[in-house]
């Protein structure tokens, strides 16, 4: 079957989906993808919302006949592809393609750790015990062991940390449950399948393991297709770099103590060493202020002199527990695994303390209760090019947000895709008729103390027009919380019983389900909700963005990369900060119009979009919505659309 036959209005998709409407962009993109697969080339494909991007890359991938890895941005999209989209396309095309779903090991129930959790019973909450019983019942009936299939136990439930394995604590071939391992089964299925569905984190984890000579999770393939490819630079930075977290060290101490209680009860020195290590971790965090912060390594000692001694003590305690574990390692494989982890952490900590590193920026990320020590590479492109040049593969990078002002140079620079073919397919939606972009006048400077209050003041009339049905998206958690309080006060004063949902009051999935199910709902969130959210119809009629999403200037990675660009003679703001902000802004704006019948208002409360010379780059990167700065114009636009339907022509005057 050819692509033209597959996508014909009277062809298989037309039969499978009554009312199926072929987009010209969809067929053009499918042809570009197929050409890339056959030529083993590279394609950067920006396909606007509504073009049918998923089918446009799946149809050629399944017709192609080679082995294909499809990588997505999230596990939710992974499940959607594996459970719905790929089976649909396979059935329509009638091709004998085998498909496997592969996730990171933390997504699969581990028989060994499940049994250990049941015997040790170290649970303080009734909910954990109830969840443990549910996981036990699930493990006896499931084929995949994927925790996503365990109904009744939330994905973020604490029990999962006790009943899944990590690369550090997996016993490998020494595990008594080795033959029944769900992770090994998933990997075996992936090796044998024609199409393997993974996520970006797993893809780069595999790349990292290969570079370390530690094996290969993903099968050798002929092609890799990245959906939501705009996320790749950030994920690649994470995996090409190195990270040591306080959580990892505490987990090592607790695992060592737990194993000692089982197989080395007579050896008191090991629990003592574990306790000392936990204290050393807490002491490092106590050196700093309680609030979260990020700072480069070279600034830490200047601002917090006690840090040097605290980190030295932590290194000493890691070495001590490594020694105690070595003394008892012969008693059990579990203790030897803990010793290996202690050694790796001690060596990683020593490496992180090296100040002069021209290839990476060393920095600390302080969370509310812990810390992360990062070494992030400054040049991802150089590292990613090794993967591009390893073997004859086709590479497809697809997303709705890759170009900045119709240029892909920024994305090509980030990943080293100098030779890639670049294509853009505009959204088929009539944005000028469906959406209004409103930038209110007289907004204060975004750094002004009363800025968030002014954002809520300007958004309030729009919330009344749309009767809620809104996302209010903020660039900081502090502004998000302040706005939530202000909106709640306004609704109370107006005697409106509209639900106001706040990010953090539940998982993202739970909040979205509540939003979709609640009339007049308002969701107040930060950048967690700027992408990967699909709410169609009247339920989402207003999106408010407080500020242009520039990365904070004190971000250590941003600062180091900008310095590097300036040294090379480039303009760091124009070449790096501005494109990043444009892509993020496109993602946030993209929440509003999700199909051809949607109508909505996008309010961006930052005057820099209009007043600054660089603002033109940003708004030109957005969908071509009707633009205005007048509230009454927005009101007329929205009311006319709602009264007449989105297909009716209106001509709102400013």
């Amino acid at each position: 079957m050819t692509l033209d036959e597959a996508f014909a209005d009277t062809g298989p998709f037309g039969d499978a989906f009554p009312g199926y409407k072929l987009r010209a962009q969809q067929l053009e993109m499918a042809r570009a993808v197929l050409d890339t697969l056959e030529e083993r080339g590279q394609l950067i494909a920006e396909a606007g919302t509504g073009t049918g991007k998923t089918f446009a890359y799946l149809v050629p991938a399944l017709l192609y006949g080679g082995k294909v890895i499809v990588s997505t941005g999230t596990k939710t999209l992974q499940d959607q592809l594996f459970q719905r989209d790929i089976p649909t396309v396979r059935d329509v095309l009638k091709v004998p393609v085998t498909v496997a779903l592969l996730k990171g090991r933390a997504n699969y129930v581990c028989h060994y750790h499940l049994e250990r959790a049941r015997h040790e019973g170290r649970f303080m909450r009734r909910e954990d015990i109830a969840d443990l019983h549910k996981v036990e019942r699930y493990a006896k009936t499931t084929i995949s062991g994927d925790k996503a299939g365990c109904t009744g136990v939330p994905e973020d439930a604490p029990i999962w940390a006790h009943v899944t394995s990590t690369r550090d604590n997996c016993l490998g071939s020494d595990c008594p449950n080795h033959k029944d391992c769900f992770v090994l089964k998933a990997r075996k299925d992936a090796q044998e399948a024609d199409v393997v569905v993974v996520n970006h984190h797993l893809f780069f984890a595999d790349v990292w393991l290969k570079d370390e000579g530690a094996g290969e999770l993903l099968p050798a393939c002929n092609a890799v297709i990245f959906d939501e490819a705009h996320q790749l630079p950030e994920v690649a930075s994470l995996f090409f770099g190195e990270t040591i977290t306080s959580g990892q060290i505490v987990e090592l101490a607790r695992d060592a103590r737990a194993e000692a209680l089982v197989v080395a009860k007579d050896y008191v020195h090991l629990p003592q060493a574990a306790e000392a290590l936990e204290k050393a971790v807490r002491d490092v965090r106590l050196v700093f202020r309680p609030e979260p912060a990020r700072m480069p390594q070279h600034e830490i000692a200047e601002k917090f002199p006690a840090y040097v001694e605290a980190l030295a003590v932590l290194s000493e305690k890691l070495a001590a527990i490594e020694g105690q574990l070595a003394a008892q390692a012969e008693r059990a494989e579990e203790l030897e695994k803990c010793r290996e982890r202690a050694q790796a952490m001690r060596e990683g900590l020593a490496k992180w303390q090296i100040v002069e590193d021209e290839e990476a920026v060393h920095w600390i990320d302080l969370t509310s209760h812990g810390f992360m020590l990062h070494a992030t590479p400054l040049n991802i492109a150089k590292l990613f090019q090794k993967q591009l040049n390893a073997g004859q593969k086709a590479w497809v990078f697809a997303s709705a947000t890759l170009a900045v002002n119709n240029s892909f140079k920024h994305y090509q620079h980030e990943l080293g895709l100098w030779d890639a073919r670049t294509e853009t397919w505009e959204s088929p939606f009539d944005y000028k008729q469906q959406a209004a972009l409103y930038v209110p006048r007289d907004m204060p400077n975004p750094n002004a103390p009363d800025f968030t209050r002014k954002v809520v003041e300007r958004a309030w009339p729009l919330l009344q027009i749309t009767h809620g049905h809104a996302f209010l998206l903020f660039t900081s958690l502090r502004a998000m919380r302040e706005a939530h309080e202000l909106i709640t006060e306004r609704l109370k004063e107006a005697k409106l019983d509209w639900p106001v949902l706040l990010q953090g009051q539940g998982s993202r999935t739970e909040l979205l389900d509540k939003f979709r199910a609640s009339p007049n709902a308002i969701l107040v969130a930060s950048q967690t909700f700027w992408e990967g959210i699909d709410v169609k119809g009247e339920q989402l009629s207003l999106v408010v963005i407080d500020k242009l999403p520039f990365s904070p200037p004190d971000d250590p990675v941003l600062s180091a990369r900008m310095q590097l660009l300036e040294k090379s003679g480039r303009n760091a703001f124009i070449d790096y900060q501005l494109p990043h902000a444009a892509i993020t802004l496109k993602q946030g704006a993209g929440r509003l119009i999700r199909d051809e019948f949607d109508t909505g208002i996008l309010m961006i409360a930052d005057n820099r979009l209009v007043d600054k010379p660089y603002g033109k780059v940003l708004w030109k990167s957005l969908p071509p919505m009707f633009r205005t700065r007048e509230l009454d114009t927005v009101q007329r636009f929205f009311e006319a659309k709602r009264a007449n339907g989105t297909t009716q022509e209106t001509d709102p005057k400013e």
Side-chain angles (χ1 to χ4, degrees), residues 19-174:
Y20 169 76
K21 182 179 178 182
L22 171 69
R23 309 281 192 194
Q25 300 97 318
Q26 191 179 48
L27 182 54
E28 289 174 11
M29 179 177 168
R31 285 174 177 151
V33 171
L34 186 59
D35 289 346
T36 304
L37 298 179
E38 291 175 342
E39 296 166 5
R40 304 286 175 93
Q42 300 169 11
L43 171 67
I44 302 174
E46 180 174 274
T49 307
T51 54
K53 166 171 60 79
T54 304
F55 282 1
Y57 69 70
L58 282 181
V59 171
L62 269 59
L63 290 176
Y64 166 58
K67 192 167 187 105
V68 179
I69 290 175
V70 180
S71 182
T72 70
T74 64
K75 287 180 285 190
T76 302
L77 288 173
Q78 251 190 294
D79 290 332
Q80 178 182 309
L81 274 171
F82 179 72
Q83 295 167 5
R84 190 187 75 186
D85 296 338
I86 294 178
T88 298
V89 173
R90 180 176 57 186
D91 293 346
V92 165
L93 299 179
K94 295 180 172 58
V95 288
V97 172
T98 55
V99 187
L101 177 69
L102 186 60
K103 298 179 180 179
R105 66 166 63 249
N107 292 277
Y108 298 96
V109 177
C110 170
H111 292 293
Y112 173 78
H113 285 92
L114 176 60
E115 183 71 11
R116 195 172 85 159
R118 186 170 67 84
H119 280 301
E120 291 178 1
R122 292 181 294 151
F123 300 111
M124 303 298 291
R125 307 186 317 151
R126 290 180 182 177
E127 294 92 333
D128 293 337
I129 298 169
D131 287 344
L132 177 64
H133 292 321
K134 291 175 187 175
V135 175
E136 283 186 296
R137 289 194 293 272
Y138 174 67
K140 292 174 182 176
T141 59
T142 178
I143 295 173
S144 69
D146 186 344
K147 72 179 187 181
C150 185
T151 55
V153 181
E155 189 177 342
D156 57 354
I159 190 63
W160 290 119
H162 299 277
V163 299
T164 57
S165 68
T166 65
R167 190 169 64 88
D168 290 329
N169 66 23
C170 173
L171 298 180
S173 58
D174 294 315

Side-chain angles (χ1 to χ4, degrees), residues 214-285:
E216 188 174 354
L217 302 181
L218 304 177
C221 63
N222 305 111
V224 180
I225 299 175
F226 293 107
D227 198 349
E228 302 297 323
H230 62 277
Q231 298 176 3
L232 291 184
E234 185 177 344
V235 179
S237 290
L238 175 67
F239 280 96
F240 286 142
E242 295 181 19
T243 299
I244 300 170
T245 73
S246 56
Q248 289 173 331
I249 304 173
V250 168
E251 186 181 3
L252 165 67
R254 291 175 181 174
D255 285 350
R257 184 188 296 113
E259 295 300 340
L261 290 172
V262 175
V263 299
K265 291 180 181 177
D266 57 332
Y267 194 73
V268 297
H269 302 297
L270 188 48
Q272 290 171 353
E275 187 176 334
L277 180 59
E278 279 198 67
K279 181 180 183 302
V281 172
R282 290 194 298 271
D283 288 345
V284 170
R285 182 60 185 90

